[in-house]
Amino acid sequence: MASSLLNGAEYLGLMRSVSPKGLGFARSDFGGKNLNLRRLALVSPARVGVVKRAVPKCSVSASRPASQPRFIQHKKEAFWFYRFLSIVYDHIINPGHWTEDMRDDALEPADLNDRNMVVVDVGGGTGFTTLGIVKHVDAKNVTILDQSPHQLAKARQKEPLKECKIIEGDAEDLPFKTDYADRYISAGSIEYWPDPQRGIREAYRVLKLGGKACLIGPVYPTFWLSRFFADVWMLFPKEEEYIEWFEKAGFKDIQLKRIGPKWYRGVRRHGLIMGCSVTGVKPASGDSPLQLGPKAEDVSKPANPLVFLLRFLLGAMAATYYVLVPIYMWLKDLIVPKGRPI
Ligand SMILES: C[S@@+](CC[C@H](N)C(=O)[O-])C[C@H]1O[C@@H](n2cnc3c(N)ncnc32)[C@H](O)[C@@H]1O
């Protein structure tokens, strides 16, 4: 049981990467900058580090090492996590981690420049990000998909989303045909997907030729205590992992934009639940060139109840640390004089 408790995703040794400690940025900067990490790697390989990859054309899924437990990075655990969190999500969770300013900043690289665009919002939850999308795109062209009926029930109550299509589904197995959408948006959901590469491959598949994916997600902390709780809770990818996943799925013109709450003053050492917005363009119609094996997890399949309960409780306890971090940073921002680092 211990191993099934720990193995959120199995590392199958398909990808070996020698990654840097950080990405060599001179300082933290959310300031609306788009970072093309591949270009950065070309101009400064010594600082960015060397990425050695042996990517097979057909790989079994689960490309991220299971070096940490990440107890809620499982479909069933995430389902039950949101059964409870959906009650307070919009009022307690979002204000600390995902403000309207951040959302609009993160959606800007998605180029939502035509009201007639077909848009899918994957892991759309209570529709907080969809509210940002429908400022630019007609609601009738937007589909909100989520595995949690409890989250979607909140989205259904929002007046500006009345005309959106709202459906239950799995980010790793989308119920849309290939070449369907102009834009794929997913905000704050990847951290719960047992196999993030599979979800990003799906993003590629459902987009039309020239369509754009915009995936907003967490970034990994560097401070030891934050790292500990992050690793117990869920997946906090490193910036270079997002780029790798997008590249392997077949995306081109991949960009990463750093985001964060204003009162953090650019601090990223505690990680961020919404820390970056990654975009990529689909260069050819059809399916992704990346082949994957069968899905590892299905929320409808029975799970070992004891394993489930332990993961759920430990993961949820670790998550409470991340309720406290934004409050701590907010107090620091109030106390430390402006212009000084916090
Ligand atoms: C942090 S919430 C983000 C909600 C919304 N996108 C927002 O910006 O507020 C994460 C959402 O991802 C959903 N989710 C987690 N795993 C999923 C999966 N495999 N497929 C679809 N949705 C998933 C959860 O149910 C939850 O509603």
Side-chain angles (χ1 to χ4, degrees):
M1 192 183 83
S3 75
S4 56
L5 195 66
L6 286 170
N7 285 349
E10 282 150 30
Y11 180 45
L12 295 164
L14 295 172
M15 185 186 83
R16 187 174 141 246
S17 56
V18 183
S19 349
K21 279 215 163 63
L23 279 164
F25 300 117
R27 61 189 174 83
S28 292
D29 176 14
F30 303 146
K33 256 187 201 163
N34 284 359
L35 306 170
N36 184 325
L37 300 186
R38 212 28 74 192
R39 209 174 303 139
L40 207 77
L42 286 176
V43 293
S44 182
R47 293 191 73 188
V48 174
V50 187
V51 178
K52 290 183 186 168
R53 277 173 291 143
V55 184
K57 270 266 172 250
C58 175
S59 68
V60 183
S61 199
S63 58
R64 200 179 197 268
S67 53
Q68 306 297 337
R70 303 197 293 263
F71 290 120
I72 308 287
Q73 192 198 348
H74 299 281
K75 290 186 190 157
K76 194 152 252 168
E77 285 75 355
F79 179 94
W80 282 99
F81 191 62
Y82 277 96
R83 169 68 192 86
F84 300 110
L85 199 60
S86 60
I87 300 164
V88 292
Y89 182 83
D90 279 334
H91 308 290
I92 303 219
I93 303 302
N94 271 347
H97 294 283
W98 188 215
T99 60
E100 288 186 17
D101 283 359
M102 285 170 70
R103 176 191 68 195
D104 295 344
D105 199 23
L107 284 177
E108 185 258 334
D111 292 329
L112 298 166
N113 52 23
D114 181 346
R115 295 213 67 85
N116 296 313
M117 277 179 167
V118 175
V119 181
V120 294
D121 182 4
V122 173
T126 64
F128 180 77
T129 298
T130 331
L131 288 173
I133 297 171
V134 298
K135 286 186 190 172
H136 307 280
V137 175
D138 288 348
K140 65 177 167 33
N141 300 325
V142 179
T143 303
I144 309 173
L145 175 141
D146 202 284
Q147 72 158 9
S148 165
H150 311 101
Q151 287 278 89
L152 291 177
K154 300 279 178 193
R156 285 198 180 89
Q157 291 165 8
K158 293 183 177 155
E159 191 54 40
L161 308 181
K162 280 279 181 274
E163 286 188 49
C164 293
K165 292 175 221 56
I166 299 184
I167 56 174
E168 276 178 50
D170 180 4
E172 293 183 358
D173 187 9
L174 294 174
F176 308 115
K177 60 182 174 37
T178 303
D179 299 328
Y180 167 73
D182 298 293
R183 295 290 181 269
Y184 167 103
I185 312 281
S186 180
S189 189
I190 188 172
E191 55 265 38
Y192 302 100
W193 306 346
D195 184 354
Q197 179 69 81
R198 182 178 295 271
I200 294 171
R201 185 192 176 284
E202 276 292 85
Y204 183 99
R205 184 186 66 74
V206 302
L207 279 170
K208 293 177 188 164
L209 166 65
K212 207 175 208 189
C214 174
L215 193 137
I216 300 153
V219 288
Y220 196 57
T222 52
F223 178 62
W224 67 273
L225 189 64
S226 304
R227 236 175 21 228
F228 172 79
F229 285 110
D231 286 334
V232 174
W233 180 16
M234 59 179 187
L235 175 70
F236 282 70
K238 295 182 181 157
E239 289 176 337
E240 57 268 36
E241 286 182 297
Y242 286 103
I243 305 297
E244 297 250 10
W245 289 324
F246 268 64
E247 278 187 345
K248 283 173 74 180
F251 282 106
K252 298 285 180 236
D253 194 14
I254 301 161
Q255 309 274 335
L256 185 146
K257 177 180 183 178
R258 288 180 167 180
I259 56 168
K262 278 204 182 94
W263 66 96
Y264 275 55
R265 298 193 201 172
V267 167
R268 295 172 80 79
R269 64 181 171 276
H270 300 297
L272 288 156
I273 293 179
M274 298 289 195
C276 64
S277 169
V278 187
T279 48
V281 175
K282 178 166 174 172
S285 55
D287 207 347
S288 163
L290 179 68
Q291 303 294 310
L292 298 173
K295 247 194 328 181
E297 283 187 25
D298 185 343
V299 78
S300 61
K301 284 207 179 127
N304 179 328
L306 194 57
V307 169
F308 165 80
L309 196 67
L310 270 177
R311 279 178 176 171
F312 183 80
L313 291 176
L314 291 170
M317 275 158 63
T320 54
Y321 173 83
Y322 273 93
V323 177
L324 302 177
V325 170
I327 298 170
Y328 167 68
M329 294 306 295
W330 180 74
L331 287 172
K332 265 187 136 177
D333 181 51
L334 279 183
I335 293 161
V336 178
K338 299 283 170 226
R340 297 256 297 273
I342 54 174

